[in-house]
Amino acid sequence: MIRTPALTLAVALLLGGCATQPRAYDPSASRALNVAKAAGLSKAEDYPADKIPGAGISGLLDITTSALSFESANGLDLAMGDAVGLGLLSFVFSPPAQMDRNALLAWIPEEQAKDKDEAALALSKLVLDAIETTLSADGIAYHIEKAHQERLALFYPFLETRLDFDLDGKNCGVSYEVYKTQTIGPKPTPTFIGDGGAAYGFLAGHEIQYPSFDVGCQGADPIHSIELARKISHALPETVFLYMSPKRRPEGGRTPPMVLDHGNALMFIEPAANDRADSRAAPVNRSNGAGSQEQSHPRQGAAS
């Protein structure tokens, strides 16, 4: 009979070993869902493509008024022309409450921080750098209202950053918050994100303490926010993504929930059977355009 201390040690070793196992890619789910769940959005879900009425997937877009091009059922390539003019129709997917807010989906490699507090600050600085790079590249003058400012929410510490700017005569802003209390690790990153090394993760599923990200202009169509966020995502490190929640449009309907993956918009729609092969995309130089990719992990829905 195994004595209690030995049994306790065995269980601890077993659980410890399981905890260090990186999350593997689920080919039956969209890449958007894989990234979201890995970042802690446990209630995220895909919408079955065969349940979209009418013209199906392609019916979600008015492709005569936009240059948007589908990569597949998994995602959209917003880089192929004027994404601001894309005509998303009313989306039939009604997401759970957890997906009704924007969020940073992020991992910070262990070598960039010695502890969780430094990891939170590193993430905050990287996001600010991406925002400034994007606005400067577009010739947009901006004002940093606050940067990595220490604040408390119900006694929970977080870092807050906000930038203000004008665009097309409208008051606009980008803001985000990074909670230190929801930082985990370091532990191996998911097999489909980064190089698989140890990193600090930022849980996005908490009701209050989640890494929020907001961008937009007063009275503007949320499509403009998506396009600006897409550009920002392209300037982010390979282990940082943006989740964009559904937003109501002035003329009716809503934008679909999506993960912005370094210039690509990935949708929460189940991949087609022929897209589910666990293949590996060849590395592509991402600097050639917002829609190009540099990945070595499974990339369901990526343009070939």
Side-chain angles (χ1 to χ4, degrees):
M1 180 176 180
I2 300 178
R3 284 192 257 178
T4 301
L7 178 60
T8 301
L9 177 61
V11 171
L13 290 174
L14 177 61
L15 293 177
C18 293
T20 60
Q21 295 300 311
R23 186 185 186 97
Y25 193 92
D26 178 4
S28 68
S30 67
R31 175 166 169 77
L33 185 58
N34 273 277
V35 174
K37 283 190 172 293
L41 290 178
S42 59
K43 297 180 182 179
E45 57 188 30
D46 277 338
Y47 191 84
D50 59 0
K51 291 187 178 181
I52 296 178
I57 295 292
S58 61
L60 295 175
L61 294 173
D62 178 4
I63 57 176
T64 64
T65 60
S66 78
L68 190 65
S69 174
F70 272 103
E71 291 177 333
S72 78
N74 286 359
L76 314 174
D77 181 0
L78 290 180
M80 301 186 65
D82 182 12
V84 174
L86 64 86
L88 288 173
L89 304 180
S90 181
F91 199 67
V92 295
F93 178 53
S94 180
Q98 194 183 65
M99 296 177 71
D100 271 341
R101 74 263 176 113
N102 295 352
L104 297 167
L105 311 179
W107 293 261
I108 294 296
E110 182 180 21
E111 58 269 20
Q112 295 183 23
K114 67 179 181 181
D115 56 33
K116 295 177 181 179
D117 285 356
E118 279 197 7
L121 181 58
L123 173 59
S124 188
K125 288 182 176 179
L126 287 168
V127 176
L128 177 58
D129 182 66
I131 295 170
E132 290 192 272
T133 297
T134 300
L135 295 178
S136 296
D138 282 359
I140 301 174
Y142 60 88
H143 167 69
I144 299 178
E145 181 179 324
K146 57 187 71 175
H148 328 303
Q149 186 176 102
E150 293 263 6
R151 298 195 61 188
L152 292 175
L154 299 178
F155 309 106
Y156 302 118
F158 67 93
L159 301 175
E160 182 180 21
T161 299
R162 179 174 178 81
L163 297 85
D164 298 316
F165 56 93
D166 292 329
L167 186 62
D168 297 329
K170 299 181 183 296
N171 295 324
C172 308
V174 183
S175 63
Y176 59 92
E177 300 172 354
V178 179
Y179 280 83
K180 299 178 180 180
T181 49
Q182 291 298 300
T183 307
I184 60 172
K187 64 179 184 179
T189 54
T191 58
F192 49 93
I193 292 173
D195 60 7
Y200 295 91
F202 297 83
L203 299 177
H206 196 276
E207 291 184 3
I208 298 174
Q209 305 171 65
Y210 66 96
S212 65
F213 178 87
D214 290 302
V215 56
C217 301
Q218 292 181 1
D221 191 314
I223 291 300
H224 295 263
S225 300
I226 292 176
E227 169 60 2
L228 180 56
R230 181 194 68 78
K231 291 180 179 180
I232 293 172
S233 78
H234 186 251
L236 289 170
E238 65 175 339
T239 56
V240 182
F241 306 76
L242 299 179
Y243 168 69
M244 303 300 289
S245 63
K247 297 291 189 298
R248 293 197 177 278
R249 303 191 65 200
E251 65 271 30
R254 296 192 301 170
T255 59
M258 62 182 72
V259 171
L260 296 180
D261 181 358
H262 306 93
N264 293 321
L266 307 177
M267 294 179 68
F268 290 83
I269 299 176
E270 289 181 356
N274 59 354
D275 284 337
R276 295 184 179 183
D278 189 8
S279 59
R280 293 183 176 270
V284 178
N285 188 343
R286 203 164 59 205
S287 63
N288 291 334
S292 58
Q293 303 147 12
E294 186 177 358
Q295 304 286 346
S296 59
H297 45 262
R299 182 81 187 199
Q300 276 65 18
S304 56

